[in-house]
Amino acid sequence: MKRNNFPKVLNDINLYYISYFVKIMNQKNTLGLDICFQDLKNPIELFKIWMNDAIKSELNDPNALALATSDKNGIPSVRMVLLKDYSESGFIFYTSFNSPKSITLKNNPNASMCFHWKTLLRQIRITGSVSSVSDEEADNYYRSRPYDSRIGAWASQQSQILKSREEILSEIEKFKKKYPNEENVPRPKHWSGWRLSPVEIEFWLDGRSRIHERLKYIKKQDKDWERVFLNP
């Protein structure tokens, strides 16, 4: 009488799929890094892939980043802002040009950005210098904002001391009366965008026992990018 080989078949199938998923989860690129680093010579292309992954996995503001600046005396400051656009020429965020960060950037245009996506266990650090976007770019983005956000750009003296909460609410109402037509709110001259043009972009992946995987792109004088590994 032949034995029933069905349990053995199930076990073989189980082992096959375990082996398959282990292989998938441990795929490497040609540099020996996790496959999420891809094999791209251009870091902007890799940034796009990682940002799209973050959009799918992060519940809130996957475009949020920590922006670090340093004033003329070398005193650092960091705050969260939102990335609103990016391209080969750089990474754009918008703000009041009368704000402390903008005043700092006017005196020292060197800055650094850091994205951290906990759901993906990934970070991206970008270092470079900033320049203001064109009026056309600022106008186009400003028009895309909700009405209340456009009014807020007029009403808020960003980071200045308020006597009370009612003070800012009163300013908001004042500018709503001044610009009641939601389709016709001009952009304040003091409100625009900064573009950070990168010279270094680092991609970071969490690793077991804190042996993280880090790949840095460094822009060379010929505008091509060099890739280097970094210690965890």
Side-chain angles (χ1 to χ4, degrees):
M1 182 176 178
K2 291 184 179 181
R3 287 187 174 183
N4 188 344
N5 289 326
F6 190 61
K8 181 178 182 303
V9 172
L10 287 179
N11 185 60
D12 289 345
I13 293 173
N14 186 45
L15 291 175
Y16 170 80
Y17 278 105
I18 289 174
S19 176
Y20 173 78
F21 283 112
V22 167
K23 181 179 179 181
I24 291 296
M25 294 300 291
N26 289 283
Q27 286 188 86
K28 302 294 183 181
N29 67 2
T30 58
L31 300 173
L33 295 173
D34 186 274
I35 196 64
C36 72
F37 287 92
Q38 304 285 322
D39 278 305
L40 301 169
K41 294 182 179 180
N42 188 335
I44 307 302
E45 295 176 12
L46 183 54
F47 179 89
K48 181 178 180 179
I49 293 171
W50 281 32
M51 175 58 76
N52 287 337
D53 289 343
I55 289 171
K56 297 173 185 176
S57 67
E58 291 287 325
L59 292 176
N60 298 305
D61 298 329
N63 59 329
L65 64 102
L67 175 72
T69 58
S70 180
D71 68 16
K72 59 185 178 181
N73 296 316
I75 298 174
S77 183
V78 66
R79 76 290 287 162
M80 301 301 294
V81 299
L82 297 177
L83 181 74
K84 289 303 179 180
D85 198 7
Y86 66 92
S87 66
E88 294 289 339
S89 61
F91 301 81
I92 296 174
F93 64 94
Y94 289 88
T95 187
S96 167
F97 272 30
N98 294 332
S99 67
K101 64 176 167 292
S102 288
I103 293 172
T104 296
L105 288 169
K106 290 173 187 177
N107 290 317
N108 178 6
N110 297 311
S112 184
M113 295 176 167
C114 182
F115 297 84
H116 177 230
W117 299 303
K118 196 169 185 178
T119 56
L120 296 173
L121 302 177
R122 299 178 193 174
Q123 294 184 59
I124 298 179
R125 294 198 306 153
I126 305 170
T127 301
S129 60
V130 302
S131 58
S132 58
V133 303
S134 68
D135 286 341
E136 181 181 5
E137 288 175 289
D139 288 339
N140 288 338
Y141 172 68
Y142 183 79
R143 284 193 295 267
S144 75
R145 304 181 89 209
Y147 173 69
D148 286 345
S149 296
R150 283 175 282 145
I151 291 295
W154 281 100
S156 175
Q157 303 298 313
Q158 196 174 104
S159 298
Q160 298 302 308
I161 294 173
L162 278 174
K163 294 178 181 178
S164 67
R165 182 68 178 173
E166 286 68 29
E167 183 181 353
I168 182 62
L169 297 178
S170 175
E171 287 294 300
I172 290 172
E173 290 305 314
K174 181 179 77 174
F175 283 104
K176 282 186 174 181
K177 290 178 181 177
K178 184 174 182 179
Y179 301 114
N181 184 351
E182 295 189 12
E183 303 300 321
N184 188 25
V185 182
R187 176 177 61 88
K189 292 300 181 184
H190 64 267
W191 192 96
S192 188
W194 292 105
R195 175 184 286 105
L196 187 145
S197 300
V199 293
E200 293 183 352
I201 303 179
E202 180 195 333
F203 297 84
W204 179 101
L205 175 66
D206 183 78
R208 290 182 181 179
S209 303
R210 306 193 67 79
I211 306 302
H212 311 305
E213 296 186 41
R214 300 172 65 186
L215 178 65
K216 179 187 280 190
Y217 288 77
I218 302 171
K219 182 170 280 189
K220 300 186 293 185
Q221 289 185 349
D222 61 5
K223 304 302 180 182
D224 285 337
W225 293 90
E226 175 187 5
R227 292 185 296 177
V228 297
F229 299 107
L230 299 179
N231 269 281

